[in-house]
């Protein structure tokens, strides 16, 4: 069992109090590196979720709102608490997710960055009066908190994803009911423990519920007291939320699946492209929605690029993320492992060839460590091309022309992240404009940052997180024209 000063309570948190499941049910949390159960946390029934919504409602203030200065202090408080406890929060994250410790601690810094950004730009949410005076009125625009927000997060960034949502919700003055993924609730409990100890917020501003997604999701979708849901996860569940909230016309912020193209032209710096691909692809064990999923390499440089990838991949160390010098941890669970294996088998059976890594039959059983793997000659009939693999498999497909590769990049229902490597600036601009993706890295494999808006086009989502666009997600503009 995991021991930590940040995990003295292993319960939900409602109305400013640590709160156990009213029915006493629990579920197990595993360390994917060892397979051990490291904690038991409450599985909360509908009544507890209803109580969390009621607590959020009681914390909402419309007529005497929390001032910008008050909200800024909450944000700074969480930022400082995260920074001061980065090692311990990172250790908990590493143990329940599996990603290497340094990466986990880096994620805590990343999370703190969202609270920092919102605290520094919160002034943008102040009311303003228009300089024009149409219809003989003075027009003032206010940014009102939308109300209690349901925040639902996935397991792949246990602290990063909640930071994106909670920072903007608090900046807006919205109370929230938060549901972490059942694979990684401990990092969330650690965050609540920090808020409880170090941040002076009204009871009910932040509430934590855990347990069955169907039970919690139902209350959040159906309650008229929750006018907004912010969700990061699969497109399948995102679609369900759209349907389940349609009756009440709730506001939705959705960050859903990706199928990122990573395009390497023949004039690119191949070493830099290979380094960037490795950093991008293997972050979080390849289990991120911005991971390159289809690598399009110009046919003239495909062989050379494959060799560079193989060299790098063969130097990587796979193991328990808590151990020093581990580059790649385990996958999150058996279903995740089996999916990557199925994609590899399918590609090899249909004409792809192995450049680096192990054959499916040599992967072994009873563990979740999937070696970094590179394959080439991939085509659109293969699962790894059409579906998000969510694991350390690098599938290369060859291309000849710019038009062809833009079409191939867009040949997916998703539109989250994409990458293009070329030293031709005009070509880069053309390709970025042609790709229907919310994020297009040019000569970089970097993902999102707190300072810039990030989100999906097409079936990858609605809305943006980060940047000023993200800061405005949880407010509604209210216009007050004054007649005299
Ligand atoms: P992933 O493939 O990353 O696990 P999911 O979409 O299944 O993505 O899950 C993302 C988050 O959404 C998790 O917290 C999960 O428990 C939650 N979730 C899953 N189904 C629902 C649902 N029907 N309503 C609300 N939340 C859900």
């Amino acid at each position: 069992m995991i021991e930590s000063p940040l995990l003295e309570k292993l319960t939900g948190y409602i109305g400013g109090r640590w709160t156990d499941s009213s029915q006493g049910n629990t579920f197990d949390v595993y360390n994917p590196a060892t397979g051990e159960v490291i904690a038991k946390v409450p599985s909360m029934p509908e009544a507890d979720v209803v109580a969390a919504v009621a607590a959020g409602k009681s914390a909402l203030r419309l007529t005497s709102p929390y001032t910008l200065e008050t909200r800024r202090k909450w944000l700074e408080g969480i930022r400082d608490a995260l920074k001061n406890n980065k090692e311990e929060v990172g250790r908990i994250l590493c143990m329940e997710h599996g990603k290497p410790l340094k990466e986990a601690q880096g994620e805590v810094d990343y999370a703190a960055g969202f609270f920092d950004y919102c605290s520094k730009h919160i002034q943008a949410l102040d009311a303003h009066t228009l300089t024009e005076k149409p219809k003989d009125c003075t027009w003032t625009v206010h940014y009102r908190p939308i109300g209690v927000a349901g925040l639902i997060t996935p397991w792949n960034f246990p602290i990063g994803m909640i930071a994106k949502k909670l920072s903007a919700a608090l900046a807006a003055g919205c109370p929230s009911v938060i549901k972490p993924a059942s694979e990684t609730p401990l990092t969330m409990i650690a965050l609540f423990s920090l808020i409880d100890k170090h941040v002076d917020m009204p009871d009910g501003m932040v509430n934590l519920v855990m347990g069955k997604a169907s039970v919690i999701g139902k209350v959040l979708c159906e309650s008229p007291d929750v006018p907004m849901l912010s969700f990061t996860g699969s497109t399948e569940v995102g679609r369900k939320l759209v349907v389940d909230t349609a009756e009440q016309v709730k506001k939705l912020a959705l960050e859903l699946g990706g199928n990122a193209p990573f395009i390497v032209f023949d004039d690119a710096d191949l070493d830099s492209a290979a380094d960037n691909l490795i950093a991008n692809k293997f972050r979080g064990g390849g289990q991120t929605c911005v991971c390159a999923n289809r690598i399009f390499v110009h046919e003239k440089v495909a062989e050379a690029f494959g060799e560079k990838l193989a060299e790098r991949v063969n130097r990587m160390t796979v193991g328990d993320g808590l151990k020093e010098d581990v580059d790649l941890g385990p996958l999150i669970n058996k279903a995740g492992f089996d999916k990557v294996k199925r994609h590899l088998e399918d590609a090899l059976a249909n004409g792809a060839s192995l450049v680096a890594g192990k054959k499916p039959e040599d992967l072994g059983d009873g563990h979740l460590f999937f070696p970094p793997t590179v394959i080439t000659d991939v085509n659109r009939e293969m699962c790894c091309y059409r579906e998000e693999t969510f694991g350390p498999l690098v599938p290369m497909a060859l291309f000849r022309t710019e038009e062809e590769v833009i079409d191939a990049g867009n040949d997916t229902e998703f539109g989250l992240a994409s990458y293009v490597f070329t030293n031709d600036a005009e070509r880069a601009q053309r390709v970025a404009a042609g790709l229907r993706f919310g994020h297009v890295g040019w000569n970089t494999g970097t993902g999102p940052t707190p300072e810039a808006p990030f989100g999906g086009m097409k079936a990858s989502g609605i809305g943006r997180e980060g940047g000023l666009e993200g800061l405005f997600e949880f407010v509604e503009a209210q216009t007050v024209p004054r007649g005299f």
Side-chain angles (χ1 to χ4, degrees):
M1 291 282 169
I2 191 168
E3 299 271 331
S4 167
L6 299 182
L7 298 176
E8 279 166 4
K9 307 273 190 216
L10 281 178
T11 69
Y13 189 90
I14 297 176
R17 290 215 176 85
W18 292 103
T19 310
D20 220 333
S21 160
S22 58
Q23 287 179 352
N25 299 340
T26 60
F27 63 93
D28 293 340
V29 184
Y30 294 88
N31 177 340
T34 61
E36 285 162 6
V37 174
I38 53 172
K40 286 183 184 298
V41 299
S43 180
M44 301 169 88
E46 191 174 320
D48 297 355
V49 189
V50 170
V53 171
K57 192 178 176 192
S58 72
L60 182 66
R61 295 283 175 277
L62 292 177
T63 52
S64 57
Y66 306 116
T67 64
L68 290 180
E69 199 43 46
T70 303
R71 289 179 259 156
R72 192 200 320 270
K73 289 217 172 81
W74 300 341
L75 294 164
E76 288 171 348
I78 301 179
R79 172 198 65 196
D80 294 345
L82 283 174
K83 280 192 171 290
N84 294 337
N85 292 274
K86 166 180 150 177
E87 276 76 23
E88 186 58 9
V89 178
R91 188 180 73 88
I92 295 167
L93 199 165
C94 170
M95 284 184 73
E96 65 177 351
H97 175 286
K99 64 178 73 178
L101 185 60
K102 277 207 185 82
E103 213 181 299
Q105 292 172 345
E107 188 185 325
V108 184
D109 273 333
Y110 175 67
F114 283 91
F115 292 99
D116 185 55
Y117 179 85
C118 286
S119 75
K120 293 197 167 122
H121 291 82
I122 197 166
Q123 212 62 36
L125 298 180
D126 206 0
H128 64 274
T129 300
L130 305 188
T131 48
E132 302 91 341
K133 296 209 182 313
K135 314 220 177 197
D136 289 331
C137 291
T138 304
W139 296 70
T140 304
V141 181
H142 299 268
Y143 295 106
R144 308 295 193 196
I146 187 163
V148 179
L151 311 182
I152 304 173
T153 57
W155 48 264
N156 61 348
F157 289 96
I159 193 74
M161 293 301 182
I162 187 57
K164 293 175 176 211
K165 299 177 191 312
L166 183 60
S167 57
L170 288 176
C174 291
S176 52
V177 175
I178 299 172
K179 183 218 168 296
S182 298
E183 291 84 352
T184 56
L186 302 179
T187 306
M188 193 71 83
I189 295 176
L191 171 67
F192 270 78
S193 157
L194 291 174
I195 292 175
D196 184 63
K197 280 189 196 137
H198 301 291
V199 188
D200 187 17
M201 265 195 292
D203 290 349
M205 270 315 276
V206 289
N207 302 281
L208 170 62
V209 292
M210 293 171 285
K212 286 211 170 79
S214 53
V215 172
I216 298 170
K218 184 169 182 288
V219 175
L220 295 180
C221 286
E222 290 180 2
S223 170
D225 294 326
V226 181
M228 172 165 180
L229 292 186
S230 174
F231 166 83
T232 299
S234 62
T235 297
E236 186 195 349
V237 173
R239 284 199 173 102
K240 182 170 162 42
L241 296 179
V242 172
V243 172
D244 292 354
T245 57
E247 187 64 30
Q248 290 182 19
V249 197
K250 289 195 184 198
K251 178 164 179 186
L252 290 177
L254 303 175
E255 208 247 77
L256 308 175
N259 184 357
F262 189 105
I263 302 169
V264 183
F265 281 94
D266 51 347
D267 65 348
D269 176 335
L270 294 188
D271 281 305
S272 168
D275 288 339
N276 273 280
L277 178 55
I278 298 289
N280 165 288
K281 179 69 209 185
F282 297 111
R283 190 174 300 132
Q287 304 168 108
T288 84
C289 45
V290 298
C291 276
N293 201 56
R294 295 167 297 152
I295 324 305
F296 295 106
V297 190
H298 193 277
E299 59 176 10
K300 275 198 209 153
V301 295
E303 203 176 321
F305 190 65
E307 280 166 16
K308 287 182 190 298
L309 289 181
E311 263 169 43
R312 286 161 173 77
V313 155
N314 291 334
R315 284 201 300 265
M316 291 178 77
T317 308
V318 184
D320 185 335
L322 278 180
K323 294 202 179 120
E324 286 259 325
D325 300 327
V326 162
D327 302 302
L328 194 63
L331 291 173
I332 191 75
N333 53 30
K334 184 161 184 324
F337 185 94
D338 289 347
K339 182 176 188 192
V340 189
K341 187 174 173 190
R342 174 170 65 80
H343 281 196
L344 178 61
E345 280 166 348
D346 168 75
L348 295 179
N350 288 292
S353 47
L354 197 63
V355 177
K358 288 186 182 164
K359 291 190 189 141
E361 56 270 29
D362 298 332
L363 289 169
D365 276 332
H367 67 86
L368 301 174
F369 297 103
F370 203 103
T373 306
V374 182
I375 55 177
T376 191
D377 291 326
V378 162
N379 63 47
R380 75 181 305 283
E381 306 312 318
M382 298 174 183
C383 298
C384 64
Y385 184 107
R386 293 194 311 269
E387 299 170 27
E388 198 177 21
T389 301
F390 241 55
L393 174 65
V394 181
M396 295 202 302
L398 277 44
F399 75 92
R400 287 197 189 87
T401 69
E402 186 180 311
E403 295 71 31
E404 174 197 340
V405 80
I406 293 175
D407 285 349
N410 286 330
D411 181 21
T412 167
E413 67 170 328
F414 298 111
L416 195 59
S418 60
Y419 310 91
V420 54
F421 282 73
T422 174
N423 283 327
D424 178 337
E426 286 182 13
R427 169 187 278 158
Q429 297 305 332
R430 284 193 304 272
V431 174
L435 288 172
R436 300 291 297 147
F437 288 80
H439 177 99
V440 189
W442 174 24
N443 289 348
T444 174
T446 192
T449 182
E451 298 80 6
F454 177 82
M457 295 184 185
K458 294 158 63 178
S460 285
I462 303 173
R464 294 292 180 266
E465 292 180 327
L468 287 178
E469 290 81 354
L471 187 60
F472 278 82
E473 280 286 347
F474 290 83
V475 293
E476 288 182 305
Q478 182 186 56
T479 310
V480 182
R482 180 182 162 184
F484 57 89

